[in-house]
Amino acid sequence: VHTMLTSITEGILCCLTGKSANVVVPIESSEPSDGYEFVEVKPGRVLRVRHIVPERGPVPEEELSAPEPGRGGRVHCKRKITVYRNGQLVIENLGDVVRSEILHCQNGNTEPSSTVEVELSDYNSAATSTLAPEPKAAAPGPQRRRRRKPKRTVAIDCERKISSCKGTHADVALFFIHGVGGSLDIWGSQLDFFSRLGYEVIAPDLAGHGASSAPQIAAAYTFYALAEDMRALFKRYARRRNILIGHSYGVSFCTFLAHEYPEQVHKVVMINGGGPTALEPSLCSIFNLPTCVLHCLSPCLAWSFLKAGFARQGAKEKQLLKEGNAFNVSSFVLRAMMSGQYWPEGDEVYHAELTVPILLVHGMHDKFVPIEEDQRMAEILLIAFLKVIDEGSHMVMMECPETVNTLLHEFFLWEPDLPPSESPPSQDNTPPLDNTSTPTTDKNPPPPESQKQNK
């Protein structure tokens, strides 16, 4: 009750003064401290970054610039993407497609090419039915088939080398990007786990979140503004082989970077990221209310987030929410973030052009992202593997950290098989991962099975 009254009082003051009560001020210091750095991506725009560099001995220059010789496999990425005027998207996979054994075998193989046909998300059923009427009775005599004219055609033909990324490799870096209302603290379990394994990890606070500066202008929170922030950090910290891990809205920034830097982004993990659709802000949303009204409603919004973001709503989950500094942003920032999600380029074709291996992780109890959206994403992507965690929800990396960490680590270590004629002498004595069908749990999880949509 006290929290509610305080929020209402601050909301009234916000309406009278035109200023948000809980504004995160810019950070003046830029000196690194306990693994935290403050990076000025633009004049006056400062982001907090947790950057953990493992302690290693001197690394030879040749080892720093190249992965282990002879390791990894080359996948022929060849596909034809055709968009027709009636909203139909046809994807023809003409090269190698990696099989679903990616995460419960030592290596994966390839399967024959295939074709997938889907309807573009921005075409509704009414428009489709108008463009595709019932066929009329055929007239006698030979019929001539009408040839459809494509609206757009994209051809991809390249080879990608996919190799195991170990914590001992100095040319590997892991980037963790959170979503709306979160902070780098939601990745606490992952950052600690992978840094102990020797990985270099980088996790920023988005603008207006955590301890990053919070400009009081809505244009500072558009997708494009935030994406340029992530580009600046990527160019600053990137190694030769980089793995991007995104959660929710953060997945869009991982997709953007993977599309912009295909040679440097080695693998991608999408956690509850949703479908491969262009971003467009909702016109009928509670976040379109005035900032002062949102501020009054902030306790209700926080409770709603707890209820929808976690499979359970006990004391443990409340503590996780507090420790993760999640949903602790100003009403102005929250409103600007939701209204700034405009990215028309990020459609199905944009995602279909990605050739990087992608692991999709979905919490079964997620009330923000339906599982059908992640299934559609797996269907569109070239090399995609979908894993559903039964015990998790939207904040699955906080609810089931051991399961998620094990799953991610297996994906980082995975590499496809080389053809027998090209296989180098085996130098890796690592035993094959156990292929078990036991359901995953948060305690002592077995190597999880993965599921991939047929292409």
Side-chain angles (χ1 to χ4, degrees), residues 218-237:
Y221 303 100
T222 64
F223 170 82
Y224 297 103
L226 297 170
E228 289 304 317
D229 290 347
M230 296 302 101
R231 184 202 297 272
L233 292 181
F234 183 77
K235 293 172 71 174
R236 178 186 178 98
Y237 294 106

Side-chain angles (χ1 to χ4, degrees), residues 4-277:
M4 179 70 76
L5 291 175
T6 303
S7 178
I8 293 174
T9 303
E10 291 178 347
I12 294 174
L13 292 174
C14 172
C15 292
L16 293 175
T17 62
K19 297 180 179 179
S20 181
N22 52 338
V23 175
V24 181
V25 297
I27 305 295
E28 295 182 0
S29 172
S30 60
E31 294 297 323
S33 175
D34 299 328
Y36 293 92
E37 302 173 3
F38 295 95
V39 180
E40 189 174 36
V41 292
K42 290 181 181 178
R45 192 176 176 96
V46 181
L47 304 184
R48 180 180 68 152
V49 179
R50 188 174 181 190
H51 181 207
I52 303 177
V53 182
E55 295 183 2
R56 298 192 184 103
V59 181
E61 184 65 27
E62 58 273 13
E63 182 179 337
L64 186 64
S65 60
E68 287 181 283
R71 298 298 298 161
R74 290 191 178 276
V75 176
H76 186 194
C77 303
K78 184 177 182 180
R79 64 184 349 196
K80 182 181 178 182
I81 307 165
T82 307
V83 180
Y84 292 95
R85 298 185 184 279
N86 66 345
Q88 187 180 38
L89 173 66
V90 177
I91 302 175
E92 299 173 80
N93 293 319
L94 307 173
D96 300 331
V97 180
V98 182
R99 284 202 321 223
S100 59
E101 282 83 355
I102 180 172
L103 292 179
H104 53 80
C105 289
Q106 176 67 21
N107 294 306
N109 297 319
T110 58
E111 63 184 10
S113 59
S114 57
T115 301
V116 60
E117 297 187 20
V118 297
E119 299 296 323
L120 291 179
S121 60
D122 55 351
Y123 284 84
N124 55 37
S125 58
T128 304
S129 61
T130 302
L131 292 168
E134 290 294 325
K136 297 180 180 180
Q143 296 295 313
R144 187 176 181 180
R145 186 176 180 182
R146 185 177 180 182
R147 188 174 182 179
R148 295 180 300 174
K149 292 184 178 181
K151 179 181 178 181
R152 180 184 175 192
T153 301
V154 179
I156 297 173
D157 190 356
C158 65
E159 279 197 353
R160 172 177 282 275
K161 184 173 183 181
I162 305 170
S163 56
S164 174
C165 299
K166 301 179 181 179
T168 55
H169 295 169
D171 66 327
V172 174
L174 312 182
F175 289 79
F176 294 83
I177 306 178
H178 68 80
V180 177
S183 74
L184 64 83
D185 298 316
I186 68 171
W187 301 110
S189 296
Q190 287 70 47
L191 299 180
D192 293 341
F193 177 80
F194 287 107
S195 62
R196 285 198 300 269
L197 290 178
Y199 288 95
E200 180 177 359
V201 298
I202 301 99
D205 281 332
L206 295 179
H209 295 68
S212 291
S213 59
Q216 290 298 290
I217 177 173
Y221 303 100
T222 64
F223 170 82
Y224 297 103
L226 297 170
E228 289 304 317
D229 290 347
M230 296 302 101
R231 184 202 297 272
L233 292 181
F234 183 77
K235 293 172 71 174
R236 178 186 178 98
Y237 294 106
R239 299 297 182 184
R240 192 173 190 272
R241 293 182 295 165
N242 303 280
I243 302 178
L244 310 180
I245 304 97
H247 172 249
S248 193
Y249 189 29
V251 167
S252 296
F253 304 116
C254 293
T255 304
F256 169 79
L257 292 174
H259 204 277
E260 292 286 300
Y261 302 97
E263 298 299 324
Q264 289 180 271
V265 176
H266 200 67
K267 297 177 182 178
V268 174
V269 178
M270 301 180 174
I271 302 178
N272 293 325
T277 54

Side-chain angles (χ1 to χ4, degrees), residues 145 381 394 427 445:
R145 186 176 180 182
L381 295 170
H394 193 64
Q427 298 178 353

Side-chain angles (χ1 to χ4, degrees), residues 224-416:
Y224 297 103
L226 297 170
E228 289 304 317
D229 290 347
M230 296 302 101
R231 184 202 297 272
L233 292 181
F234 183 77
K235 293 172 71 174
R236 178 186 178 98
Y237 294 106
R239 299 297 182 184
R240 192 173 190 272
R241 293 182 295 165
N242 303 280
I243 302 178
L244 310 180
I245 304 97
H247 172 249
S248 193
Y249 189 29
V251 167
S252 296
F253 304 116
C254 293
T255 304
F256 169 79
L257 292 174
H259 204 277
E260 292 286 300
Y261 302 97
E263 298 299 324
Q264 289 180 271
V265 176
H266 200 67
K267 297 177 182 178
V268 174
V269 178
M270 301 180 174
I271 302 178
N272 293 325
T277 54
L279 295 180
E280 187 173 345
S282 174
L283 298 177
C284 301
S285 169
I286 188 174
F287 298 103
N288 290 328
L289 294 172
T291 301
C292 53
V293 177
L294 284 179
H295 190 79
C296 295
L297 297 175
S298 57
C300 300
L301 294 175
W303 168 248
S304 299
F305 180 81
L306 174 65
K307 191 173 182 181
F310 291 87
R312 301 178 180 84
Q313 294 82 44
K316 175 186 174 183
E317 286 70 30
K318 292 180 180 179
Q319 184 63 25
L320 286 174
L321 198 66
K322 183 177 180 181
E323 291 176 356
N325 201 20
F327 215 76
N328 185 27
V329 296
S330 73
S331 305
F332 174 83
V333 170
L334 184 60
R335 185 175 188 271
M337 288 285 292
M338 299 303 293
S339 62
Q341 293 186 18
Y342 179 71
W343 185 35
E345 296 87 358
D347 58 5
E348 286 93 340
V349 176
Y350 189 93
H351 287 80
E353 291 173 344
L354 296 176
T355 59
V356 60
I358 297 176
L359 170 65
L360 297 140
V361 180
H362 182 86
M364 178 58 76
H365 299 280
D366 192 345
K367 298 180 180 64
F368 291 111
V369 179
I371 190 172
E372 291 77 14
E373 292 192 15
D374 278 329
Q375 289 173 337
R376 181 180 175 88
M377 178 72 87
E379 185 179 43
I380 291 290
L381 295 170
L382 177 61
I383 308 176
F385 307 89
L386 174 60
K387 169 61 186 177
V388 179
I389 299 180
D390 294 334
E391 304 84 4
S393 183
H394 193 64
M395 308 300 289
V396 64
M397 63 283 185
M398 301 178 72
E399 297 172 289
C400 312
E402 294 181 13
T403 302
V404 171
N405 291 345
T406 300
L407 183 63
L408 266 58
H409 192 212
E410 288 183 353
F411 180 59
F412 298 166
L413 298 179
W414 168 78
E415 59 186 19

